[in-house]
């Protein structure tokens, strides 16, 4: 009988093993290539924009992912362990991209061991090695991409903090390799961004740093606002800075450029402090009294946006302290703003990694009633902002006067934003050849209500070092500008890829259990400390009643007090251990449930699902 039972048990195990192997082989055959992403925010599912970019690849792209696997394998440092987890995340999304690129992406994972040729290649490609410790070994986690010609692009180091934009960064690198030609950016500006002759000073002006950076990264075409009637098709991004009294033909050119699907970035300002226009040699006051405001009223109305060119924003919570005169004490200037992380859109790729932005005498935008567009803030004031007529700023001698009678509007004002919608023309009466009354597809426009944000004085200091221009930035204004143009220069697929969630999933229930136990622990410790202090106080009182040789001998009362304290201390320590034991028991039970769900429940459900599918398929075949 015993033999039969053992035989049956062994047979059952053998049958289960055969069944398991058969189901594994069957599922590999039936569901080859099938993926099921059950993560929150679908972390392992590529966005439609990424899939479109991969589907449009014509030429092969070679990607080399460098990670110092062996150098980090034995480390117990939390940051290194986190970097290893992030490497898995990067590798998995690259493998997903490679699987969807129809063989056009070749992925190679390389471990650049110290002093190896692979490490030299990683350094030569521009990848950044992070020192691991006192030994000086460097850790690499970067990507090098090449195309079939001589195109090359890199991500020097994958920072785990940028995980929400990992897919965007990878898709952009692939997109740049697939389209190696520099994007063409049109610039129409009412301010001397490119330098040139300055009639006020009678000499050549120096180009603004944002213009120099723009010229290095893009093919910049400067357009004359006075003669602008149409925007050439080759221009992919158009930047309009301080469009002051722009003629109707020029505004119509911007209007039709947007309706054709062009990407527009507009900088307007109620008071452009760098506007030196309006001067008259016969009237020294003419330049001071001239308006320094810019506006696009017809276009803003058609786009469903409200903007007031005679209103400037004050924000006492973001005011910058300035020196107004030699010897005078510094004072806060509520029209010069320093925006921090809380004021920047953390979910948008343009502003997500910026820390500080400076603006001066800025305006603001809001959607008009019944607007058919959507305005997503990129830069906002605090909720203590208000607006004032620009005349109060134009003729201001003491900025502290702006804080008198200050009334907060209890509303965050949008200083810059991303406008999305299916735009309509602002000039329905015109019938020029090729005139469009409405865009065929949804478009995007970036709006900024300040032009001083681009000036050097608000974000960078330059110095000359043996003929080389050195830049020392103290705000992210330049990065904001380049990020915005770079984002708009991508295809609509690339622009559509926004920040995703992170793969970090803290065990919140475990953290809650620990927090509750810590509270109880802290309460017990405080109780013990109070009893210890009270006992020491009583011992000191008894000690003060003694003198001479008796001072170092415990009296019966002191002995009893000390024994009571020691006994109570042991009791409390026992209670502390009990609290800790219960905590560990709760966490162990929670861990056991999670292990059962991960190890047994999910495979069991998948097995049952597979059996059901096989049975259904077999019954269908018989039918």
């Amino acid at each position: 009988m015993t033999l039969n039972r053992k035989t049956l048990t062994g047979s059952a195990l053998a049958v289960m093993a055969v069944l398991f192997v058969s189901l594994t082989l069957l599922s590999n055959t039936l569901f080859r290539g099938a993926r099921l992403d059950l993560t929150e925010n679908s972390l392992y599912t590529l966005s439609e924009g990424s899939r479109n970019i991969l589907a449009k690849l014509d030429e092969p792209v070679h990607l080399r992912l460098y990670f110092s696997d062996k150098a980090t394998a034995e480390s117990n440092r939390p940051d290194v362990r986190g970097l290893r987890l992030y490497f898995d995340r990067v590798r998995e999304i690259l493998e997903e991209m490679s699987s969807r690129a129809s063989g056009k992406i070749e992925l190679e994972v390389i471990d650049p061991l110290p002093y190896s040729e692979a490490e030299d290649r990683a350094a030569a490609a521009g990848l950044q090695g992070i020192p691991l410790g006192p030994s000086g070994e460097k850790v690499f986690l970067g990507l090098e991409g090449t195309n079939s010609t001589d195109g090359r692009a890199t991500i020097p180091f994958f920072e785990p903090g940028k995980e929400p934009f990992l897919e965007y960064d990878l898709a952009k690198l692939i997109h740049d390799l697939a389209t190696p030609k520099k994007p063409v950016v049109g610039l129409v500006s009412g301010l001397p961004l490119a330098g040139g002759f300055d009639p006020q000073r009678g000499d050549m002006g120096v180009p603004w740093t944002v213009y120099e950076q723009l010229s290095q990264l893009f093919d910049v075409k400067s357009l004359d606002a006075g003669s602008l009637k149409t925007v050439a098709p080759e221009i992919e991004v158009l930047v309009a800075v301080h469009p002051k009294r722009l003629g109707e033909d020029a505004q119509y050119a911007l209007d039709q450029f947007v309706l054709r699907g062009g990407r527009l970035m507009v900088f307007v300002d109620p008071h452009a402090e760098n506007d030196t226009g309006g001067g008259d040699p016969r009237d020294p006051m003419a330049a001071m009294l001239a308006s320094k405001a810019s506006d696009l009223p017809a276009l803003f109305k058609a786009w469903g946006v409200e903007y007031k060119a005679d209103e400037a924003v004050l924000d006492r919570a973001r005011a910058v302290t300035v020196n107004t005169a030699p010897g005078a004490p510094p004072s806060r200037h509520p029209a010069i703003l320093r925006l921090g992380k809380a004021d920047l859109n953390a979910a948008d790729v343009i502003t997500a990694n910026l820390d500080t932005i400076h603006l001066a005498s800025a305006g603001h935008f809001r959607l008009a009633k019944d607007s058919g567009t959507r305005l997503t803030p990129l830069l906002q004031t605090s909720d203590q902002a208000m607006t004032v007529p620009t005349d109060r700023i134009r003729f201001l001698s003491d900025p502290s006067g702006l804080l008198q009678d200050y009334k907060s509007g209890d509303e965050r004002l949008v200083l810059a934003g991303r406008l999305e919608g299916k735009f309509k023309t602002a000039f329905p009466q015109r019938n020029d050849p090729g005139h469009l009354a409405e865009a065929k597809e949804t478009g995007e426009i970036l709006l900024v209500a300040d032009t001083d944000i681009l000036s050097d004085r608000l974000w960078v200091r330059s110095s000359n070092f043996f003929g080389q221009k050195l830049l020392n930035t103290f705000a992210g204004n330049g990065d904001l500008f380049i990020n915005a143009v770079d984002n708009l220069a991508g295809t609509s697929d690339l622009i559509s890829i926004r920040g995703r969630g992170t793969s970090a999933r803290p065990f919140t229930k475990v953290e809650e259990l620990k927090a509750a136990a810590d509270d109880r622990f802290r309460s017990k410790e405080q109780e013990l400390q109070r009893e210890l202090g009270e006992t020491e106080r009583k011992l000191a009182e008894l000690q003060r009643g003694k003198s001479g040789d008796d001072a170092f001998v415990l009296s019966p009362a002191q002995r009893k007090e000390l024994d009571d304290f020691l006994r109570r201390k042991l009791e409390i320590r026992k209670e502390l251990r009990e609290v800790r034991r219960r905590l560990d028991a709760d966490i162990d039970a929670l861990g056991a449930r999670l292990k059962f769900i991960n190890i047994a429940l999910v495979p069991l459900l998948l097995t049952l699902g597979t059996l059901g599918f096989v049975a259904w398929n077999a019954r269908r075949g018989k039918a």
Side-chain angles (χ1 to χ4, degrees):
M1 187 69 180
T2 303
L3 180 62
N4 290 338
R5 185 175 299 171
K6 288 182 179 180
T7 303
L8 289 174
T9 303
S11 301
L13 290 174
V15 169
M16 290 180 66
V18 172
L19 183 62
F20 175 77
V21 173
S22 301
L23 286 175
T24 303
L25 295 174
L26 186 63
S27 63
N28 284 340
T29 303
L30 293 177
F31 303 111
R32 184 183 300 277
R35 294 166 182 263
L36 183 61
D37 185 357
L38 300 178
T39 59
E40 186 180 11
N41 300 325
S42 299
L43 288 175
Y44 297 94
T45 301
L46 296 179
S47 64
E48 183 179 359
S50 294
R51 295 197 299 271
N52 291 338
I53 290 173
L54 298 171
K56 294 175 184 174
L57 283 177
D58 295 325
E59 298 293 331
V61 172
H62 192 169
L63 301 179
R64 299 181 183 86
L65 175 62
Y66 288 86
F67 177 61
S68 303
D69 188 18
K70 291 184 178 178
T72 58
E74 303 299 329
S75 177
N76 291 320
R77 285 172 45 177
D79 55 342
V80 176
R81 307 307 300 172
L83 197 64
R84 289 185 63 83
L85 293 175
Y86 193 51
F87 160 69
D88 291 335
R89 172 84 174 107
V90 175
R91 179 176 49 79
E92 287 168 353
I93 194 170
L94 280 173
E95 289 175 346
E96 176 69 9
M97 287 182 162
S98 178
S99 69
R100 290 184 173 275
S102 303
K104 293 295 175 53
I105 290 182
E106 182 182 351
L107 177 62
E108 185 180 3
V109 181
I110 301 172
D111 183 357
L113 297 174
Y115 311 109
S116 66
E117 292 184 4
E119 186 184 47
D120 294 341
R121 286 200 303 271
L127 271 59
Q128 183 181 1
I130 305 298
L132 182 60
S135 61
E137 289 186 3
K138 291 184 178 179
V139 174
F140 289 87
L141 178 52
L143 183 69
E144 177 194 17
T146 55
N147 58 18
S148 57
T149 56
D150 58 350
R152 184 180 301 275
T154 61
I155 296 178
F157 192 83
F158 288 102
E159 298 179 18
K162 290 186 64 179
E163 184 180 354
F165 301 100
L166 174 62
E167 182 183 346
Y168 175 84
D169 290 340
L170 295 175
K172 184 177 185 309
L173 181 140
I174 295 171
H175 173 266
D176 290 347
L177 290 171
T179 53
K181 184 182 175 184
K182 274 187 177 182
V184 181
V185 176
L187 175 64
V188 53
S189 176
L191 297 175
L193 266 68
F197 182 73
D198 185 347
Q200 297 291 323
R201 299 190 308 177
D203 58 6
M204 295 299 291
V206 177
W208 294 15
T209 301
V210 291
Y211 179 82
E212 292 180 326
Q213 293 184 337
L214 188 71
S215 301
Q216 293 170 2
L217 298 172
F218 303 95
D219 183 5
V220 180
K221 305 286 186 185
S222 293
L223 307 178
D224 180 20
S227 59
L228 181 63
K229 293 186 177 180
T230 182
V231 180
E234 63 175 353
I235 292 179
E236 299 164 61
V237 179
L238 181 60
V239 181
V241 180
H242 199 45
K244 185 179 177 182
R245 291 191 288 272
L246 208 60
E248 181 181 314
D249 284 345
Q251 292 190 53
Y252 180 69
L254 268 61
D255 174 272
Q256 293 297 296
F257 174 74
V258 171
L259 299 189
R260 291 200 308 269
R263 286 68 181 272
L264 179 65
M265 188 173 185
V266 175
F267 292 82
V268 290
D269 201 329
H271 182 67
E273 298 179 11
N274 291 277
D275 182 358
T276 57
D280 185 350
R282 297 168 298 180
D283 183 3
M285 297 295 292
M288 183 180 297
L289 297 175
S291 172
K292 298 184 178 183
S294 53
D295 194 0
L296 293 171
L299 293 176
F300 286 157
K301 183 179 180 181
W303 297 340
V305 174
E306 290 183 354
Y307 163 79
K308 296 182 179 178
D310 57 353
E311 276 189 2
V313 171
L314 306 181
D315 189 348
R316 61 186 176 189
R318 301 292 183 263
V320 173
T321 301
V322 298
N323 293 313
T324 54
S331 59
R332 297 168 61 221
H333 199 316
I336 301 178
L337 311 181
R338 177 185 291 115
L339 304 184
K341 276 283 188 183
D343 312 311
L344 313 181
N345 188 341
D348 196 291
V349 69
I350 295 176
T351 49
N353 294 300
L354 303 180
D355 296 318
T356 305
I357 296 292
H358 290 160
L359 302 98
S361 56
H364 70 101
F365 301 104
R366 68 173 73 243
L367 282 181
K369 292 182 179 178
D370 303 325
S371 173
T373 56
R374 184 177 66 177
L375 180 63
T376 303
L378 294 177
L379 307 178
Q380 293 187 97
T381 65
S382 74
D383 57 4
Q384 298 183 34
M386 64 173 290
T387 59
V388 295
T390 52
D391 286 345
R392 287 193 61 185
I393 295 177
R394 292 176 60 192
F395 306 108
L396 185 67
S397 58
D398 182 5
S400 62
L402 295 173
L403 294 172
Q404 297 175 0
D405 302 326
Y406 191 97
K407 293 183 179 178
S408 169
D410 296 327
E411 178 189 11
R412 303 189 73 181
L413 303 177
V414 179
L415 305 172
R418 189 190 289 268
L419 187 68
E420 299 172 87
K422 203 169 182 180
F423 301 109
K424 297 180 180 179
T425 182
F427 304 94
Q429 73 283 3
R430 295 187 64 147
N431 57 359
D432 298 39
H435 171 81
L436 293 177
E438 185 176 358
K440 295 180 180 177
E441 298 180 353
T442 300
E444 293 197 14
I445 302 171
L446 293 186
L447 302 174
V448 183
D450 186 33
T451 59
D452 303 301
I453 191 174
L454 299 174
S455 65
D456 288 8
R457 73 181 183 90
L458 287 185
W459 70 279
V460 63
R461 297 187 188 92
S462 62
S463 58
N464 189 302
F465 183 75
F466 293 101
Q468 298 291 323
K469 184 179 181 181
L470 298 183
L471 300 178
N472 181 19
T473 61
F474 51 89
N477 297 26
D479 292 334
L480 172 75
F481 180 62
I482 295 300
N483 286 352
V485 177
D486 193 39
N487 181 245
L488 292 181
T491 63
S492 57
D493 294 325
L494 188 60
I495 295 174
S496 68
I497 305 172
R498 301 287 170 79
R500 305 286 296 272
T502 65
S503 57
R505 290 291 181 272
F507 290 95
T508 54
K509 187 63 179 176
V510 174
E511 295 299 328
E512 290 174 3
L513 289 173
K514 287 183 177 178
D518 286 343
D519 290 342
R520 281 180 286 175
F521 246 75
R522 195 175 299 110
S523 174
K524 288 295 181 184
E525 286 176 344
Q526 291 173 351
E527 182 181 345
L528 179 62
Q529 291 294 334
R530 282 196 300 271
E531 290 198 19
L532 177 63
E534 181 66 18
T535 302
E536 289 177 344
R537 185 186 65 78
K538 290 180 179 178
L539 287 173
E541 287 179 354
L542 292 172
Q543 194 69 22
R544 280 196 296 271
K546 295 184 169 187
S547 60
D549 296 338
D550 294 340
F552 300 98
V553 179
L554 292 177
S555 66
Q558 287 177 313
R559 172 60 62 187
K560 181 178 182 304
E561 191 73 22
L562 183 59
D563 291 342
D564 290 345
F565 165 70
L566 292 175
R567 186 178 64 257
R568 179 56 186 151
K569 183 178 178 180
L570 291 174
E571 291 174 355
I572 292 178
R573 288 180 64 83
K574 184 178 179 181
E575 292 179 22
L576 286 172
R577 287 195 298 272
E578 182 62 20
V579 171
R580 173 58 62 186
R581 189 190 65 78
R582 291 176 185 170
L583 166 66
D584 293 340
D586 290 344
I587 293 177
D588 289 344
L590 181 62
R593 289 198 297 272
L594 292 175
K595 287 179 181 177
F596 172 74
I597 292 172
N598 288 323
I599 297 174
L601 183 60
V602 173
L604 181 62
L605 292 176
L606 289 176
T607 302
L608 293 175
T610 304
L611 289 173
F613 176 78
V614 172
W616 173 79
N617 203 27
R619 184 176 301 173
R620 189 180 175 190
K622 292 179 179 178

